[in-house]
Amino acid sequence: MSGERLVAAYLSDLVLAAEPLPEERRTDLIVDVTSHIAEARAAGATSDDEIRQMLEQLGDPRDIVTAAADGLVLVEPTPASPPQSRFRGREIAIFFLLPFGVYIFLVGWFAGLYLLWTSDRWTDREKWLATFITPFGYASVQAFATVDLGYTLPGWLGVPIVVALLLAPLAMVVVLAAKGRPGRSSQ
Amino acid sequence: MVAEKVFTQLRRGTLEYCVLALLQGEERYGFDLVKELGEIDGMVTTEGTIYPLLARLRREGLVETSWRESESGPPRRYYRSTASGGQALADFTADWERFRTSVDAILRRGNEGRRK
């Protein structure tokens, strides 16, 4: 990535991470970090490598936002609040919509994705996995089963592939169900 | 490093007083302050977290700020210590010296015991 794009990506990560902060703290933080980057570039960080190193020294935008959240309760529930149950209606909906939602006029799968990515029950890695293991859920399995390859896969190869494809969306649901906990997305 | 966690805590606890110390009798803008702190061995690991710290010191009235034009780029936010910032630093310095003396004494005893 070029230095220009690195800076743009860094700032957009920061803006995104800073969203939960109160207005004033958010604006201050973004202004401060933006001027820091401008100063560093004026002070000689010009090559792509220098810019990359400068951003590394600044640190992960999420760590900076965590520092700015100091004294505020943003995502973590206060000890006084009742413990949240592991899965609410929306998580149950995700378990259904990711494998089968595509059959609800296609939008069902996208709705499942939206619920998945806005849920705090999983880490980003788990969310990426659930998104790409079988895009469009069983529709991709069906597509594979019906596509004309121009030749027939031998049974010893075709059968295991079909079985794996049939199991993949279910396995994904099982993994999500096993891993999901309130607040994991902030880990 | 085993003591990594301890140093993270120590850094967190002492950094704001190092910031206040650098601002006694002198105004500095953010970038300048961050670079200065960065040169102190082991003090700053992520430069960006100094800005939220400065914002907090401002909320607590320990520093005050003003924007000023710069010749070479965007306007700069200058920080200077207030009187209560100076007082907080003096209080901390006294406590820190006492604390450091106690810890040093105990560590020395431990090291002598180890050599026996």
Side-chain angles (χ1 to χ4, degrees):
Chain A
M1 253 202 281
S2 74
E4 212 55 62
R5 287 183 51 194
L6 282 172
V7 168
Y10 186 91
L11 286 175
S12 90
D13 283 352
L14 178 73
V15 169
L16 207 68
E19 246 170 42
L21 291 176
E23 174 73 37
E24 205 194 328
R25 284 196 197 191
R26 185 173 62 221
T27 318
D28 264 350
L29 187 67
I30 293 168
V31 167
D32 283 341
V33 173
T34 310
S35 348
H36 179 103
I37 293 174
E39 291 280 358
R41 298 181 80 175
T46 43
S47 76
D48 292 354
D49 279 345
E50 284 163 342
I51 289 175
R52 185 173 300 114
Q53 198 196 346
M54 179 262 290
L55 295 176
E56 271 168 22
Q57 281 173 356
L58 255 179
D60 188 326
R62 283 165 299 187
D63 293 341
I64 302 175
V65 169
T66 307
D70 161 75
L72 296 174
V73 178
L74 296 183
V75 265
E76 301 219 302
T78 55
S81 70
Q84 294 180 35
S85 62
R86 280 182 58 202
F87 302 118
R88 300 156 293 181
R90 60 182 298 152
E91 279 77 31
I92 307 294
I94 292 167
F95 297 155
F96 172 74
L97 287 173
L98 285 183
F100 305 111
V102 71
Y103 298 112
I104 311 174
F105 306 113
L106 193 68
V107 294
W109 186 73
F110 286 104
L113 268 197
Y114 174 76
L115 291 174
L116 173 76
W117 281 92
T118 50
S119 170
D120 70 339
R121 280 357 186 216
W122 297 285
T123 63
D124 281 359
R125 262 186 67 181
E126 290 156 4
K127 289 174 181 176
W128 283 115
L129 185 74
T131 305
F132 285 114
I133 189 140
T134 47
F136 302 105
Y138 272 107
S140 61
V141 179
Q142 201 181 10
F144 178 82
T146 52
V147 77
D148 187 4
L149 294 171
Y151 60 91
T152 314
L153 283 174
W156 61 265
L157 182 59
V159 171
I161 289 181
V162 167
V163 170
L165 282 172
L166 284 174
L167 289 180
L170 290 181
M172 180 263 293
V173 167
V174 170
V175 169
L176 287 184
K179 297 252 179 182
R181 294 272 185 294
R184 270 174 71 81
S185 66
S186 56
Q187 281 174 13
Chain B
M1 187 161 89
V2 185
E4 184 62 41
K5 254 190 178 158
V6 176
F7 278 100
T8 304
Q9 301 289 343
L10 276 175
R11 212 181 280 130
R12 196 171 289 159
T14 50
L15 183 58
E16 63 182 272
Y17 296 101
C18 296
V19 169
L20 282 175
L22 287 178
L23 292 175
Q24 295 308 306
E26 200 171 353
E27 274 189 303
R28 287 169 187 275
Y29 60 97
F31 182 74
D32 175 35
L33 196 52
V34 168
K35 285 294 147 195
E36 186 88 33
L37 286 165
E39 281 166 20
I40 306 172
D41 183 34
M43 184 46 82
V44 177
T45 47
T46 46
E47 293 180 341
T49 56
I50 293 173
Y51 292 103
L53 169 71
L54 287 165
R56 179 164 63 77
L57 294 179
R58 195 174 65 225
R59 284 198 299 275
E60 290 171 356
L62 301 179
V63 303
E64 52 192 13
T65 64
S66 54
W67 282 98
R68 228 164 303 152
E69 292 299 323
S70 104
E71 295 133 35
S72 64
R76 290 167 171 167
R77 201 202 297 267
Y78 276 82
Y79 297 83
R80 89 175 76 80
S81 173
T82 61
S84 52
Q87 188 55 52
L89 178 65
D91 292 348
F92 175 79
T93 308
D95 287 344
W96 173 259
E97 277 166 7
R98 218 174 50 225
F99 175 74
R100 190 188 54 198
T101 312
S102 315
V103 174
D104 281 352
I106 294 179
L107 291 181
R108 209 174 304 123
R109 242 168 61 187
N111 278 325
E112 280 162 10
R114 216 159 45 95
R115 272 189 232 107
K116 275 181 198 160

